[in-house]
Structures are given as structure tokens and as C-alpha cells.
Amino acid sequence: MELSRRTFHALAGTAALGFALTGSGSPTSANASRPVPTGPPPPVPSADGGRHEIGFDRHSLLVDGRRLVLWSGEMHPFRLPSPSLWRDVLEKMRAHGYNAVSVCVAWNYHSSAPGRYDFTGVRDLDLFLRMAAETGLYVIVRPGPYINAEVDAGGFPGWLTATEGTARTSDPTYLRYVDEWLTAVNAVVAKRLFTRGTGTVLLYQIENEYDAHVDEPAGRAYMSYLYEKVRADGIDVPLFHNDKGRNGFWVPGSFGTGGEKGRWLYGFDGYPEPDEVPPDWGHFGPGGAKGGATASPRTPGFVPEFGGGWFDPWGGSRFGGKGYAEARRTRDGAYERRFYLTNLANGITLHNVYMTFGGTSWGWLPAPAVYTSYDYGAAFDEARNATPKLAAMHRIGQLLRHVPDLARLNRARAVRATDKRIKVYHLTNPDTGAHVYVLRNDSGEAVTTTLPDAGIDVPVTVPARDAKLIAANLRLGRRTMVHSTVQPMLSLTAGRQDLAVFAGAHGDLAQVVLDCPDEPTPMRLDPEPAWAYNLGKLNISVPLGAGGLSRVMVEGDGVDTPMLMLFADDATALRLWPYETPSGRLLVYGPALLRSAELRGSTVHLTGDTIGATGLEVWGPRGITHVTWNGRAVPTRLSASGSLLALRPLPGVTRPVLPALDGWRRRTENPESEPDFDDSGWTTADRRTTFSTTPVPEGQPVLFADDYGFHYGDVWYRGEWTDGGGVESVSLAYSTGTQGLLMAWLDGEPLGTHRMPVPDEDRARQGTWTARAAFGIPEELRKRFREQRGRSERHVLSVLVRRMQHDMDGEALDTHKAARGLTAVTFEGADPEVTWRIQGESMPDPVRGPLNNGGLYGEREGWHLPEYDDGDWKDAGLPRADRRQGVTWYRTDFRLDVDPGVDASLGLVLDDDPDRAYRVQIFLNGWNMGQYINDVGPQHTFVLPNGILRTRGSNTLALAVLSDGTTPSGPGDVRLTVLGAAAGGVPVRPV
Ligand code: GAL
């Protein structure tokens, strides 16, 4: 039976009440005793001071008794080191239809030493959570302790790699450190829980894709421990874990302790290849423990991570990365529709896309698997620009937000398409009687079909390798849509009229049938729409995108409120912005982004971005007669479609003009390679035991850098002995992440550079990135040795190791504890007794954090810092062609004068002859913005986030160039570039 709108609203009201009264009293109790009807979607969340209940049944989350489909995107605050810009990304997500943001919190980012936890500055998690609440987004918090996420050691702090015990188990030493971390991070999170009305944290994840000890008591005890710890810290929202696939691991009840039952969601991650046929992974797929969400029949379908792009490895080998344009091409909007709509059709109502804004693995954050950029090919690029992929997300997100029927769908009777290439999923909402059809085309050609079983006899087109959601018997405002051939995108009431938006591919023919018992008198507001009335049905057809937005007003059909129907192709839909205000809803058309809308008196104050000049049109509540845009009055007139229409276009952006980078100053370093360098302040490397997984060679000291407290970036060794005459060669075994290297000098003479070969996938997985660099002693030195024989001469072997990063520990084998740095040193021709000293990074930068610096001389001396006085450095023009083994620094200052009303996203480009073997560590105003490897790539452009970059003022750029001496070295071409520009943006505070 179809319920009238009024009936089901009434039902929803009583149901919400019933839930509150019959709930167990626990704010997160799973309420499943009585089916909860559909009802309107929950309001936009905020820190509203009230208590809230977060429950669920098998269909969806139930927030204060109302169904919520969670349409979430992943971003990592630690990958955008400029807190002001968090707000920019959050506002963009919210505007494009996401209602939640999921964040990993990386332990290593906040902790430079045991007992030391920092949540200030770029690490201000509380600020992030507040911003998300202010933006109206729910938050999913994922603090690990292990997060994977392509960060150094999977998020484990460097210092943890040198501690006893096995990580990711119930080992007591490990758990003691885990307690420290969780206590610290939970103190922040507990203050921003949605249950308390002090924030919008809705869900909380423990661990990450933990599949190593699932069937063992130690694994279960570990998960159970984390669960209890998080609860003890006052986190009362539902908890969950992300199963690594549709394995049925960690479903409710699987800890063996029972503690997690009832307040625990089951979720599983999915990263299908773009050329796969999307699998049926949800409630309606094949049953049993391996059946994805069917493994947990009482909790809603939940994918905590579903691929929204993919990470890219370093270039230069057969596994080499191709750059992120490739990830964005293979996982484009059509991929999103094909996979995500299949997910919805399979009962997934909690959906998080990893990544939605990938950002930058700046400093020494990246795991060995990736380079600096973590753009991910995501819907928002690393420079914070909206990409065309958003067309799919925006359309689906707005639909889920505005059309509540999708929150409770059951599989319905099979419906076939006349063309067999189209797979049809048919679902219905038992409360509203709405039907939803997901049509998927896995073939390589566009297919046009009909669905006679569903009474849809008009042609529906699905492009090649794409999918489309259409609906039937759907209430839109006060009318019922019989069916449509394109996706309904939203339905809302603004002022005196109902609005309904339909969106699809450019050129698609939208055919929408409305139930109109009385013949209406439609009004054509744009030339494209055509219609016919027949037997109580109004058939409207509109080719999408022919004239931008196409409008038809339906009225005179006996319904007291007119309905404006709007038709948009993807590009047009991306300029349509619904917005909820406390006094009613709005729809804004035109600008590149709507950030906020506020009603004060008869004026609506809008803020947002424009790129090109654009019209502005606003449908809003009654009584609104004036509009401002970014604080300026916009003269408008009332249009025939009931909107306020700007009389003149809003201006677009003027792209900033950038200065050339010149005036470089240069200084070489590595005094550590000189025999007389004073290393008396260095640490003696004389330990005999380690907690590393790398064995200590018989009879040798531990040389692993982490054992001496050096965890990030470059590390120096100086081995000293007397009377080593006769040494013919030296062999240096070492271990690094991808693209590590080692350089050696004996008595100040370069012995050579060795580069870590790129391991095959298996070895990389096991973390065995080890190599042996064998250097013969040059004849000149040997001669010197022969002459010295018998005289007790002192010799110094200096070694610089670029360690790159620690392995992640995806399989819980302690691979993050594999050694970094030298592992063993042997000589031929003599067997000197060597005393080793080691030096890596100095004290962690109090502002920029522990991952900003390695142990280069210049870094230890502050050459990367803006306040450093380089007055005595030599002037140097670029490009360079020096040939030298070692480190050379280049510094320059540049001024920017970007208009304060412009959000310009700038990047630094480095380019050179790809045969030149050198790499560059890029420091902007002291911040380590990443590593460029000239002969490896693929990254040439480095995003410089505003806040670190002073867009109005002076900046210092310092480049630490490491060259191996086998080829001429750069830098070659170094320049600034504009990666995106919009008039608008958010206020940016200097970091
Ligand atoms: C998942 C993991 C994430 C991330 C992703 C690939 O399996 O949970 O943390 O590593 O793979 O980007």
C-alpha cells in the first residue's frame, strides 16, 4: 500500500518518539524491535548542545530515530598542513552532497616520543572536529592505533619501531603505548561527540583491516582490549572495524567477549579494479559469513573504505607510477556510478570514499609505497580543485540527502531490461512505495533499452561502462513522479513552490512522467522542454544540457503549490546548490561553489566561489527580496520561475601573476665526509641488541638508526679506526624504503653512491629492502695507506644513508621494525676495529613536527628555515650542471601579491633532463613540502598550501639537492605555477 506523504510523516514522528521511549537507555543501542519507517532525512548536524541517539537497524543508521544514509568522503587533516584550508575542503564536500567526512588520525604525526602528544597547530584535531561540525558534516574518526593509509610505518611513531613486543597484538608493552595514544586522542574526540551535542563525531573505528590474528585468542583479545579502552575513554558512539574485504571478520559477537554486541557495526572495505564487473557485496549478495554485509544481517550495509582513486608509486621501474591523472582517468565519474550505485543497490547505506581529498604526504610522511603527492585521483585534487568526477558524487549525494526513500530499500521482484546487456537492480521502499532501479551497463557501448516489466516503455540510455539510477512512484514535493529516464537529483520546497531537479549526461533525453489527475497548464521557462498530457499523466521530455538549465513550471493541476522542474546535464548540475537554513531551504544556481547561505531579514547572504563570470539565481523562502554575494549587494529581479535573478553576472577570477624564481644563493655541505669533522657530539653506535626484526650481524654493533632515536630522513655514520692499511674494499649492507640510497667517503674521498634497487613486490611486502654496496678503495687512497703502514694513522669512513621510510605493517608482522640505515659493514684486505658514531635529525621541530626534518647538516643547522641568514652564501644562477657527490643547498626569497579575494592554489614545478641523477628536498618557509627525484619521477609539481605559503608577502624557498656525482646535477628549471584559482575562498591564517 502506498502511504500518503502526510501519513508517513506522522508515522515517522511517532516512531522517533517510540524509539526514544523504548530504547535501552544506551545512546547507541541498536534498535530493531520495530521497523522504523522512512520519515524525512535527519537535519544537518551541528554542535547544537542537545543529546542525540545514534542507533541502527539492518537498513541504515537511525539518528534520533530518523534514518540516515551516510555519504562520506575521506580526507586526512595531516595531509593538509594548513588548518584554514581544512574548512575549504569541508565546505566543498558539504556543498557537493557529502554529509560526512572520515578521517584517519596518525599516531606518528602527534607523537615525537613516548609520553609526548601534541594536538596543537597543524595537529589541532579539535579544531578540525569543530570545523566539521560548523560545516554540517558528521565525522567518522579512525585513530588506529594502526592506520595503514600509506603513511610511514602505517602511522606507528618512529620511536615505536624500537620498542619491545609485537605490535598489533595483545602484547603488554605494545598495549601500554597504545593506551597512551588512545588516552590522548580520545580526550580530544570525546569532547566532540554527536551524542553529547558538542560535536558531530558519529562513528569511531578501531584498528585497520586487521586480518592477521582473527582466529587467534591474541587477536581477539587485542580487539576486545581496544574496544573496552575506547569505551572507557568515554566514546559512546557506535564503534566498528573495517574488514579488509568481504570476509566476515569482526562481525558483532566475534571478539569472544560479547562486549561489543549491540553497539558495534560491521564494515568491509572494497577496492575493485576499474575493469571488474562490480560485485554484489551487500545485504542482497550471496549469503553466509563470506557474503559481505550479509555476514552481519542485523547491522546496516557499511563500506568504511571504498576506492575513490588509487595511490601511485615512484616511477622509474616496471612497477613505476604513471602520475595521478591516470588514477583519475581509470576511476572516473562512470566508475563511481557503476560501483557506488551497485553498492547502494546492495543495501550499503554507510558509504565512505577513500580518498575524497587525498592531499600531500609532506615531509617524511609517505610510506615506502608512495611519493609526496597523495592526490589519489580523488574527486578533489591535491590543489583543492573540484574535478569532473564530482558530477557523479554530487548527483548521488544530493539525492540521498533530499529523497529519504533511499534510506530503506528492499530488494524487489526481478525486472529485466529488453537489452540483456543492462543489469537491473530493482528495489522498493516498503513505507513510501517508491521504486528504485539501478541500471548498469558493463559493455563497451552505450545501450538504450526499456523496462517493460516496470512499466517503463520509453527508452532509457546508459552510456558504455556506466550506470544510472532511475525511480518510479516517487513523491516529489506534493506530487508523484510516475517514472523518469534520468536520475532525480533533489526535491525541496523553497518559498511558494516545490522544486525538483533531474540530472544526467549531456545530451541524454530526460522523460519524466508526473501524476496529474487534473490537466495542468505547464509553463515553459526555457525553450528545450516539450510535454504532452494524456490520461492523467503529464509527460515531459527535455534534452539535457542543450541550454544550460532547462525549466518547466507545473501548475493548474489542482495542487495548491506549483512545482518547478529543473533539468541539468552534469556540468550544469555542478552549479546547482541546495542549502538548508533554519528558516527554510534554498536552491542557488550559477557559481562554481556555494559555501554558505544565511537569511537575515529579507536578505539572503551567500558566500562562495566563482571561476568564470557567472549568472546567479536564487530560489528561497518567502519574504527574501535581496541577495548579497561574498558581502556585496547583488541587484536582482524576480524571474518567471520564482527566483531572484542577478541583473549582472558575478565576476570571475583574475588569475594571479607569479614572479620568476631567481636570485638563488648556494652553499655546499657534508662536512661530515671530511676526516677532521668534529663528531664528538654524536651518539656512539655500540649497542649489541635491538627490538628490530632485522638480525644483528655476528660480532658487529647495532647500526640501525631507530635504535639511536633517529627515525626520519637522512642519517650519517662515521666509522673510525687507526692503522687500517691494507683495506682493499668495504662492503656496506643497508636497508631503506623505496628509492633509498647510500653515499660513502673514506678519509674525505668519495667512494661512490649506491641506490637501493626497487624490490619486487614480494620482497617489498615482506619489508626486505636491503642491499649491499661494495666499494673498492681507489688506488690513490691505497697508495696513501701503503705509505702509512706501520704508523698508527686514523681513518674515517663517512656514510650518508637516505633511509626513506619505514614499512607499513599491513599484515601485522612487525615489518615497521625492519631496520633503516646501515645494517652491517665488512672490509676486505684488513679487519680494522671500527668505532661508529651516528647522527640523524636533531630535536623535532616544535611547530612543524617530528616528520619535518632528517639529519642533513643543513637541516641540523637550520638552513631550511626562513630566519636563517644566508648572507654569506654565493650567488648562483639556475640551471646548474655541477658534478659532485653530496649535498648542496639553494635558497631564494620571493614575494607574492595575490588579491585577498582570490583563492589561488600554487605549486612548485621542477624539471630537468631525466638522465641527471639527483634529488631535491623542498623546504618552503621551513616546511618540508616533499621530495623530488629527477631521474625517477613521476612527480614534478609540488603543491604549496596557502598558510604555509604567504600569498601576500615574502617566502623563502630552500632546496637541499643530493647528487650522486655520476651525472651533472640540477636543479634545472624551478618555477611557480597556478594550479587553481577562484574568486572567494576561505580566510587563511598563516601557519
Ligand atoms: C586500504 C587501507 C587504507 C589504504 C588503502 C589504499 O586497504 O585500509 O589505509 O592503505 O588500502 O590506499
Side-chain angles (χ1 to χ4, degrees):
M1 180 192 70
E2 192 202 329
L3 300 177
S4 76
R5 186 72 166 183
R6 195 160 295 153
T7 324
F8 85 71
H9 270 223
L11 269 177
T14 45
L17 186 63
F19 174 72
L21 294 176
T22 58
S24 67
S26 132
T28 62
S29 63
N31 169 301
S33 54
R34 219 189 307 162
V36 178
T38 299
V44 176
S46 64
D48 59 7
R51 307 293 284 190
H52 296 282
E53 295 184 340
I54 310 167
F56 51 84
D57 65 10
R58 65 179 290 270
H59 292 287
S60 71
L61 288 175
L62 294 165
V63 175
D64 297 325
R66 298 202 211 179
R67 295 201 171 279
L68 171 71
V69 181
L70 208 63
W71 188 246
S72 168
E74 181 93 9
M75 78 169 284
H76 296 153
F78 59 84
R79 284 187 156 118
L80 183 54
S82 175
S84 307
L85 299 182
W86 296 339
R87 189 183 295 278
D88 178 57
V89 176
L90 293 170
E91 287 181 351
K92 285 173 175 164
M93 286 177 61
R94 152 89 203 265
H96 282 289
Y98 298 81
N99 59 11
V101 58
S102 168
V103 295
C104 285
V105 194
W107 186 355
N108 57 5
Y109 196 67
H110 295 270
S111 180
S112 58
R116 228 179 269 158
Y117 291 91
D118 183 356
F119 288 90
T120 62
V122 297
R123 291 169 295 279
D124 191 345
L125 179 63
D126 183 64
L127 178 61
F128 181 88
L129 296 178
R130 278 186 282 137
M131 281 182 182
E134 285 159 14
T135 310
L137 292 170
Y138 290 111
V139 186
I140 305 173
V141 182
R142 316 197 300 149
Y146 181 77
I147 60 166
N148 211 64
E150 287 75 67
V151 290
D152 185 288
F156 283 152
W159 57 261
L160 191 78
T161 67
T163 58
E164 196 177 2
T166 312
R168 309 188 73 192
T169 67
S170 53
D171 180 288
T173 311
Y174 169 69
L175 289 185
R176 195 154 41 84
Y177 293 124
V178 164
D179 270 0
E180 269 187 23
W181 163 238
L182 289 180
T183 301
V185 69
N186 288 345
V188 179
V189 176
K191 283 200 307 195
R192 302 290 162 213
L193 297 172
F194 189 59
T195 42
R196 299 186 191 169
T198 48
T200 51
V201 173
L202 189 75
L203 302 174
Y204 181 112
Q205 178 183 315
I206 57 173
E207 253 287 347
N208 190 83
E209 296 193 341
Y210 185 61
D211 67 349
H213 307 288
V214 181
D215 298 323
E216 296 158 30
R220 288 198 292 268
Y222 172 47
M223 288 293 276
S224 183
Y225 184 90
L226 295 180
Y227 183 93
E228 299 299 342
K229 167 66 182 154
V230 171
R231 287 290 182 227
D233 287 342
I235 309 294
D236 60 2
V237 300
L239 305 189
F240 70 96
H241 175 71
N242 58 338
D243 187 357
K244 198 176 204 153
R246 51 195 296 267
N247 305 303
F249 297 157
W250 310 116
V251 294
S254 57
F255 294 3
T257 59
E260 82 287 6
K261 266 190 193 159
R263 304 160 78 197
W264 177 257
L265 291 168
Y266 171 67
F268 63 97
D269 293 350
Y271 287 90
E273 288 298 318
D275 52 8
E276 269 178 54
V277 171
D280 291 327
W281 274 347
H283 273 299
F284 310 121
K290 296 266 168 215
T294 49
S296 180
R298 285 177 208 281
T299 60
F302 182 5
V303 287
E305 290 181 24
F306 201 88
W310 191 241
F311 62 80
D312 200 40
W314 288 102
S317 79
R318 81 193 155 90
F319 308 112
K322 298 190 180 116
Y324 281 111
E326 182 67 6
R328 196 165 277 117
R329 187 184 67 76
T330 52
R331 289 170 171 85
D332 59 358
Y335 162 91
E336 295 176 314
R337 281 186 293 272
R338 233 155 55 88
F339 285 90
Y340 306 167
L341 289 176
T342 301
N343 288 344
L344 292 177
N346 276 287
I348 304 295
T349 58
L350 291 86
H351 195 271
N352 177 49
V353 176
Y354 187 106
M355 299 297 294
T356 291
F357 168 77
T360 308
S361 306
W362 61 282
W364 293 102
L365 259 173
V370 292
Y371 48 88
T372 302
S373 172
Y374 198 65
D375 176 281
Y376 218 80
F380 295 98
D381 71 17
E382 190 187 358
R384 298 177 287 112
N385 296 303
T387 72
K389 285 176 70 161
L390 278 163
M393 304 310 290
H394 187 83
R395 249 206 254 162
I396 303 170
Q398 306 295 1
L399 173 73
L400 295 172
R401 178 118 129 216
H402 291 89
V403 178
D405 308 66
L406 277 91
R408 186 177 178 211
L409 292 176
N410 290 325
R411 253 309 153 77
R413 153 187 77 81
V415 157
R416 277 159 307 145
T418 39
D419 191 310
K420 300 238 157 25
R421 289 172 297 178
I422 298 293
K423 159 115 185 155
V424 184
Y425 295 89
H426 175 201
L427 304 127
T428 55
N429 183 305
D431 308 320
T432 67
H435 292 252
V436 168
Y437 304 93
V438 169
L439 277 55
R440 199 179 68 226
N441 177 6
D442 293 320
S443 83
E445 297 140 50
V447 172
T448 298
T449 189
T450 57
L451 302 176
D453 299 353
I456 301 179
D457 292 319
V458 283
V460 183
T461 302
V462 188
R465 304 182 63 72
D466 205 328
K468 175 186 245 189
L469 180 150
I470 60 173
N473 198 34
L474 183 70
R475 284 299 280 188
L476 297 175
R478 291 156 183 84
R479 291 171 179 78
T480 299
M481 180 191 83
V482 180
H483 56 70
S484 68
T485 62
V486 297
Q487 190 205 298
M489 181 171 115
L490 58 85
S491 150
L492 57 83
T493 302
R496 279 174 234 277
Q497 57 194 11
D498 291 335
L499 303 179
V501 176
F502 295 84
H506 184 79
D508 200 355
L509 182 66
Q511 305 217 54
V512 178
V513 180
L514 278 190
D515 239 340
C516 294
D518 297 338
E519 179 161 1
T521 48
M523 182 170 38
R524 191 197 317 270
L525 300 162
D526 289 293
E528 302 81 25
W531 57 80
Y533 181 76
N534 189 17
L535 300 173
K537 312 265 185 266
L538 179 68
N539 296 263
I540 302 170
S541 45
V542 186
L544 295 183
L549 192 62
S550 305
R551 306 157 177 85
V552 187
M553 183 79 83
V554 178
E555 55 193 337
D557 54 349
V559 181
D560 56 7
T561 308
M563 175 153 84
L564 177 66
M565 299 176 69
L566 302 168
F567 295 86
D569 66 359
D570 280 332
T572 308
L574 281 171
R575 296 166 58 206
L576 274 170
W577 310 104
Y579 201 92
E580 296 100 324
T581 74
S583 356
R585 287 170 184 264
L586 298 165
L587 183 67
V588 174
Y589 173 54
L593 177 71
L594 179 75
R595 294 179 185 272
S596 70
E598 206 187 314
L599 303 177
R600 288 201 300 269
S602 57
T603 304
V604 55
H605 300 272
L606 306 175
T607 66
D609 292 2
T610 60
I611 296 174
T614 174
L616 176 71
E617 193 167 0
V618 183
W619 291 271
R622 290 173 197 215
I624 297 298
T625 50
H626 291 79
V627 178
T628 71
W629 177 255
N630 290 341
R632 293 224 176 105
V634 179
T636 58
R637 67 173 169 83
L638 190 64
S639 80
S641 69
S643 62
L644 292 172
L645 189 63
L647 296 178
R648 284 186 298 279
L650 303 178
V653 68
T654 311
R655 284 167 81 89
V657 179
L658 301 178
L661 297 176
D662 47 22
W664 293 94
R665 294 167 305 278
R666 169 177 186 272
R667 179 164 173 188
T668 56
E669 51 139 280
N670 54 283
E672 302 93 332
S673 61
E674 295 302 325
D676 297 335
F677 177 79
D678 177 10
D679 61 14
S680 56
W682 289 19
T683 309
T684 308
D686 55 1
R687 289 169 172 258
R688 294 282 150 180
T689 57
T690 177
F691 296 121
S692 167
T693 50
T694 306
V696 183
E698 193 59 43
Q700 295 207 24
V702 175
L703 293 174
F704 317 157
D706 288 297
D707 283 280
Y708 299 96
F710 304 121
H711 305 300
Y712 302 113
D714 297 295
V715 61
W716 276 95
Y717 295 86
R718 284 169 57 90
E720 200 181 313
W721 68 90
T722 39
D723 201 14
V727 171
E728 281 157 20
S729 71
V730 55
S731 162
L732 302 159
Y734 71 116
S735 170
T736 69
T738 328
Q739 304 299 342
L741 64 69
L742 169 154
M743 291 178 175
W745 292 259
L746 182 57
D747 294 346
E749 297 300 325
L751 294 180
T753 296
H754 187 275
R755 289 171 78 150
M756 180 63 59
V758 174
D760 60 36
E761 257 171 309
D762 261 4
R763 287 179 63 222
R765 216 153 37 87
Q766 292 153 18
T768 50
W769 299 16
T770 53
R772 188 170 282 278
F775 298 114
I777 308 301
E779 183 44 40
E780 204 177 305
L781 270 181
R782 288 210 230 175
K783 205 168 128 222
R784 219 192 283 166
F785 289 173
R786 280 195 296 274
E787 287 163 12
Q788 291 164 351
R789 190 163 289 165
R791 280 185 272 145
S792 168
E793 287 294 329
R794 174 176 161 274
H795 300 284
V796 181
L797 178 63
S798 301
V799 182
L800 171 64
V801 183
R802 175 145 296 183
R803 285 178 292 173
M804 303 302 282
Q805 291 86 346
H806 301 93
D807 285 301
M808 298 196 291
D809 187 29
E811 294 178 33
L813 297 170
D814 262 357
T815 39
H816 60 292
K817 290 185 178 169
R820 288 297 181 255
L822 282 181
T823 54
V825 182
T826 49
F827 295 86
E828 266 177 47
D831 190 14
E833 205 165 296
V834 184
T835 311
W836 285 101
R837 284 178 187 270
I838 180 169
Q839 176 67 53
E841 70 272 20
S842 30
M843 290 293 287
D845 184 314
V847 174
R848 300 173 182 91
L851 293 127
N852 195 64
N853 293 107
L856 291 181
Y857 184 82
E859 289 175 282
R860 305 196 312 267
E861 296 291 313
W863 295 5
H864 58 295
L865 296 171
E867 54 272 22
Y868 175 78
D869 180 4
D870 58 17
D872 58 348
W873 290 24
K874 294 208 172 62
D875 290 344
L878 299 190
R880 306 292 304 182
D882 313 335
R883 200 185 268 264
R884 164 166 198 272
Q885 174 177 306
V887 187
T888 310
W889 287 68
Y890 296 84
R891 281 172 60 103
T892 188
D893 298 321
F894 63 92
R895 285 193 72 81
L896 293 175
D897 188 19
V898 179
D899 183 311
V902 170
D903 177 7
S905 184
L906 304 190
L908 184 74
V909 182
L910 292 101
D911 249 324
D912 207 344
D913 170 355
D915 285 338
R916 295 187 169 190
Y918 73 93
R919 50 185 73 194
V920 182
Q921 207 66 46
I922 300 162
F923 291 96
L924 174 67
N925 297 327
W927 293 79
N928 181 345
M929 297 317 323
Q931 182 171 195
Y932 168 74
I933 308 188
N934 182 62
D935 53 345
V936 170
Q939 186 174 4
H940 286 268
T941 302
F942 293 77
V943 172
L944 308 175
N946 297 342
I948 287 180
L949 183 73
R950 307 273 184 263
T951 53
R952 296 176 68 69
S954 171
N955 295 278
T956 302
L957 190 62
L959 307 178
V961 178
L962 184 65
S963 51
D964 74 8
T966 59
T967 68
S969 159
D973 180 19
V974 181
R975 60 179 192 276
L976 295 169
T977 187
V978 180
L979 299 172
V986 291
V988 176
R989 296 178 57 151
V991 180

